[in-house]
Amino acid sequence: MIGIERISFYTPAYAIDMRALAKARGVDPAKYCVGIGQDTMAVAPIDEDVVSMAANAAQQCLEGLDKTTVDTVIFATETGVDQSKAAGVYVHSLLGLPGSCQVYEMKQACCGGSLALHAALDRVARRPEKQVLVIAADVARYGLGTAGEPTQGAGAVAFVVSAQPRIIEIFPQTGYFTQDVMDFWRPNYMEEALVDGKFSVRMYLRALESCWHAYAADGGLPIQDLDRFCYHQPFTTMAYKAHRRLFTVADVEVPDVDVLAPSLRYNRLIGNTYGASLFISLCSLLEQTPVDMAGEHVGLFGYGSGCVGTFYAGRVIRNYRAHLKREEHECLLANRCLLSISEYEAAFRRRLPIDGSMQVLEESCGGPFHLEGIENHKRIYGRRRREAGANLGVA
Ligand code: HMG
């Protein structure tokens, strides 16, 4: 039995209210809150990037674990900070992981987190005594005033994959789908993603359909045996579209989509976190479902534009609730500072120097780690003097 032993996520201490954004853009707030399905959207301050967010998520995830048992760190991101150096190497250093650990980066848009999970499962299958730390972190950026703007967000998730899963066992049967399409992409020279929005929604659903057939062909569970579902959530109403499509494709009457509500709660507050989104949804499902889900089967769908999809499933482990970080996650979300739209726009426009000059960043609020500054084109990370909840100022 191999699966997830512990899991935790992190999102910056700043957010905007979607109603305020709608008002500023001259849009009916119901479009963002009902049509797209977002209440608030995380905003990363200048001193938070995928490395600091990942270190904050991973530190909480590893609490109480003997770090010398971590053999591999796989970091999935499409918002990497360097073309050569894996972002996980910085995290390895910030967390004081052993030098004998291997670290690498994985990329395929939002599917990176699921692909990293599968690589970790394979590693543990070969070496059952090892523990693999999987991290997925991203900042979703589309540009001010664009159609994609209400589907931004920022966050990181970290989980340990081992042969002693205390939260969810992941079954080996998997359905994949790959097709070379340009539905969403970000050239190396651009800070914001380019997207063909409506086409990306259609590709997501087409990938889900193909993944379901591939999953069934791989000996996966019949749909009637799946009790819960978690979908990649670029925005939460996408999960409803996916759920309806999945049951239609499986030729089974579409059940009440309200069953998805617990898996959407955190994502409604954070927004898209690309590679982390599916696993933040999994945290939400496990932590916000009022009944004990032990023994239940969960179907998971990861989609990464470009595109690669994957459908797989797992079984929730007995006593899983004792190993969740529900209180920490609720506290993180409850203590965020809501920015005005002009503060958000100012934070969005800020850039680090790209000429090698030195800049020491003022410290925002957030988890223990942040980006202290940049010098000679080198990013310098360290510990914050103050942490989330303390005197939240402007990003
Ligand atoms: P849009 O054109 O601004 O919005 O773009 P719309 O007109 O399609 O409206 C959105 C929904 O709101 C519609 O619902 C409207 O009816 C509804 P639907 O018909 O789809 O069910 N609506 C209202 N509801 C209530 N009251 C109202 C109202 N007005 C409208 N007054 C779009 C939306 C998602 C395309 C845009 O935000 C976008 O391009 N986002 C970025 C791309 C994206 O998220 N794609 C998702 C699939 S691809 C993916 O998941 C991968 C990704 O995560 C990246 C990666 O892999 O790395 C993106």
Side-chain angles (χ1 to χ4, degrees):
M1 178 160 82
I2 307 174
I4 296 177
E5 187 189 310
R6 34 176 78 222
I7 185 165
S8 190
F9 73 82
Y10 174 80
T11 187
Y14 304 89
I16 53 169
D17 185 294
M18 297 307 282
R19 287 162 200 81
L21 181 65
K23 197 168 163 219
R25 300 294 177 250
V27 170
D28 179 353
K31 175 173 177 181
Y32 291 174
C33 301
V34 181
I36 287 185
Q38 297 302 133
D39 293 323
T40 57
M41 183 172 91
V43 176
I46 188 88
D47 65 337
E48 287 270 28
D49 62 14
V50 290
V51 170
S52 67
M53 292 193 299
N56 289 323
Q59 155 142 314
Q60 184 158 277
C61 173
L62 297 182
E63 252 165 29
L65 181 88
D66 173 9
K67 288 183 189 161
T68 61
T69 61
V70 178
D71 145 270
T72 302
V73 178
I74 313 176
F75 192 140
T77 184
E78 55 178 299
T79 328
V81 295
D82 196 285
Q83 294 279 14
S84 300
K85 181 167 174 164
V89 174
Y90 294 105
V91 178
H92 172 274
S93 156
L94 290 168
L95 298 182
L97 293 173
S100 56
C101 191
Q102 62 168 336
V103 179
Y104 61 92
E105 194 161 303
M106 175 151 311
K107 178 172 73 179
Q108 181 18 62
C110 302
C111 205
S114 288
L115 299 172
L117 165 63
H118 288 118
L121 294 168
D122 290 349
R123 172 75 181 155
V124 176
R126 214 152 60 92
R127 300 295 303 273
E129 75 285 8
K130 304 286 190 193
Q131 286 175 311
V132 178
L133 173 63
V134 176
I135 304 173
D138 276 305
V139 178
R141 279 173 72 93
Y142 291 95
L144 302 176
T146 63
E149 185 181 31
T151 62
Q152 299 176 116
V157 69
F159 49 90
V160 171
V161 173
S162 80
Q164 295 86 41
R166 296 185 299 177
I167 294 176
I168 185 168
E169 169 191 7
I170 304 292
F171 300 134
Q173 293 77 17
T174 308
Y176 293 108
F177 172 74
T178 298
Q179 190 180 343
D180 179 6
V181 288
M182 296 303 277
D183 60 334
F184 163 107
W185 69 105
R186 184 165 69 84
N188 285 345
Y189 49 83
M190 293 194 72
E191 299 233 355
E192 280 87 42
L194 299 169
V195 64
D196 185 342
K198 298 279 158 54
F199 176 51
S200 73
V201 170
R202 287 200 303 279
M203 278 315 303
Y204 175 118
L205 295 173
R206 194 184 303 168
L208 172 63
E209 197 169 325
S210 299
C211 285
W212 174 254
H213 291 312
Y215 174 70
D218 201 37
L221 293 168
I223 202 156
Q224 296 85 346
D225 287 2
L226 292 171
D227 305 290
R228 313 268 173 181
F229 296 84
C230 273
Y231 299 95
H232 164 55
Q233 287 173 38
F235 47 93
T236 65
T237 49
M238 191 72 227
Y240 292 125
K241 291 182 200 292
H243 202 57
R244 288 190 197 100
R245 175 64 66 92
L246 184 66
F247 277 78
T248 307
V249 168
D251 208 14
V252 171
E253 196 185 333
V254 182
D256 183 0
V257 289
D258 285 348
V259 70
L260 297 180
S263 73
L264 311 183
R265 171 127 191 263
Y266 294 158
N267 302 62
R268 281 190 75 92
L269 299 173
I270 296 172
N272 197 356
T273 51
Y274 295 159
S277 153
L278 173 63
F279 299 96
I280 291 179
S281 167
L282 178 62
C283 288
S284 195
L285 174 73
L286 294 164
E287 293 172 8
Q288 300 298 326
T289 299
V291 297
D292 186 348
M293 288 170 50
E296 290 193 8
H297 292 148
V298 182
L300 298 131
F301 175 64
Y303 176 74
S305 284
C307 70
V308 175
T310 174
F311 193 97
Y312 51 102
R315 184 178 57 88
V316 180
I317 305 286
R318 207 169 137 259
N319 201 30
Y320 68 100
R321 284 166 151 170
H323 306 290
L324 297 173
K325 301 276 182 192
R326 178 183 167 156
E327 271 176 30
E328 290 85 341
H329 293 151
E330 286 186 344
C331 179
L332 175 73
L333 292 168
N335 285 317
R336 294 183 305 169
C337 169
L338 279 187
L339 300 178
S340 68
I341 299 306
S342 56
E343 288 167 338
Y344 144 71
E345 289 175 350
F348 184 94
R349 289 196 176 99
R350 281 196 69 181
R351 296 281 187 282
L352 293 170
I354 55 167
D355 60 359
S357 61
M358 178 178 159
Q359 187 171 354
V360 177
L361 297 171
E362 72 280 9
E363 193 179 288
S364 70
C365 286
F369 300 106
H370 77 135
L371 176 66
E372 289 180 342
I374 187 160
E375 186 176 10
N376 289 333
H377 301 285
K378 294 176 191 163
R379 286 177 182 244
I380 300 151
Y381 296 94
R383 280 189 173 269
R384 277 192 172 89
R385 289 181 300 273
R386 53 184 186 164
E387 293 188 12
N391 186 28
L392 284 180
V394 171

